[in-house]
Amino acid sequence: MTIIAFISQKGGVGKSTLARALAVEAQKQKLSVLLADCDQQQATSYQWLQLRKKSKFKVEIFPTAQQALREANKYDLTIIDGPARTSHATLEIAQKANLVIQPTGASRDDLIPAVKEFNALVKAEVSKKKLLFVLTRLSTPAEAKAIQNYLKNAGYHYSSFYLMEKTSYKQAQNEGKSITETKYPGLTNQAKQLITSLLDYLD
């Protein structure tokens, strides 16, 4: 049983995007997968499943993190798509998860709150080893390098792979697909490398 949680201090940074892609790729490895949507109000992942229609993994809305975590022992992999804003439930999720992923964009408005959130989890005795940043919605590789240096100085781990801001990623998701299922092999491969790196990080 493995639990990977996606959290964010603010909306629109790619939390649900990454959670859905991980679910798609994990089921290809013959894992039983639960994608737990813990944002009742927006239900982003659950609504996406309605577009997808056919899926080999389960997506379910959970009113509380506790309820989602109780289901985890029924699956090889439980992916938690956390609330749109961090809350008391975030700490509970982080304490139980094997890996906690926080996506962040390039702006200070994204980075500073994101680092503060991980700082708060570390203060609450969540191990830094299971906290991982993923860079999303980037414009250039140089931008990625600058953010990676910032996070390195802050003392946090990050995936060496990242997501560029591409219309094709949005289009794929609008069609009930994941970012690893675009029409363009190059973009699809970049997304797959990122998702694979998340699973490899656990090893």
Side-chain angles (χ1 to χ4, degrees):
M1 179 189 77
T2 299
I3 301 172
I4 297 180
F6 292 85
I7 66 169
S8 65
Q9 177 61 29
K10 58 184 294 186
V13 291
K15 173 176 60 64
S16 296
T17 293
L18 294 174
R20 295 185 297 230
L22 180 59
V24 168
E25 295 306 306
Q27 62 88 24
K28 291 179 183 178
Q29 298 184 18
K30 310 300 182 184
L31 299 176
S32 59
V33 179
L34 170 65
L35 175 50
D37 192 332
C38 291
D39 189 344
Q40 262 192 305
Q41 186 173 3
Q42 296 190 28
T44 306
S45 287
Y46 185 80
Q47 295 297 332
W48 167 78
L49 183 68
Q50 310 316 302
L51 293 172
R52 191 173 181 84
K53 296 180 181 178
K54 291 184 179 180
S55 176
K56 294 181 180 179
F57 53 88
K58 184 175 182 180
V59 181
E60 187 174 343
I61 299 173
F62 291 92
T64 68
Q66 283 184 339
Q67 289 174 298
L69 292 167
R70 281 199 293 266
E71 292 294 303
N73 62 358
K74 300 177 182 178
Y75 299 88
D76 297 323
L77 174 63
T78 295
I79 301 165
I80 296 181
D81 184 0
R85 299 291 187 274
T86 53
S87 63
H88 176 72
T90 303
L91 176 58
E92 185 175 13
I93 291 169
Q95 289 170 331
K96 299 290 185 181
N98 301 94
L99 178 61
V100 181
I101 297 169
Q102 189 174 189
T104 181
S107 73
R108 287 177 58 86
D109 290 344
D110 290 338
L111 280 169
I112 292 175
V115 170
K116 284 183 177 179
E117 181 55 33
F118 270 2
N119 286 345
L121 292 179
V122 171
K123 188 175 181 180
E125 300 185 347
V126 174
S127 172
K128 263 191 177 184
K129 292 181 180 179
K130 66 177 183 178
L131 302 180
L132 183 71
F133 278 107
V134 172
L135 313 185
T136 62
R137 302 181 64 184
L138 304 185
S139 300
T140 66
E143 192 175 48
K145 185 67 175 178
I147 302 169
Q148 288 170 344
N149 287 336
Y150 179 88
L151 295 175
K152 183 177 181 179
N153 289 334
Y156 288 106
H157 299 286
Y158 53 83
S159 172
S160 58
F161 299 96
Y162 48 84
L163 280 184
M164 305 299 286
E165 181 70 38
K166 297 292 183 181
T167 301
S168 296
Y169 287 142
K170 297 176 185 176
Q171 289 175 339
Q173 293 182 98
N174 288 341
E175 297 169 0
K177 299 175 183 178
S178 84
I179 55 173
T180 60
E181 299 172 316
T182 75
K183 298 177 182 179
Y184 302 99
L187 292 181
T188 294
N189 186 55
Q190 288 175 29
K192 284 185 176 181
Q193 286 181 319
L194 169 57
I195 298 304
T196 299
S197 78
L198 304 183
L199 292 171
D200 289 346
Y201 187 79
L202 282 173
D203 297 332

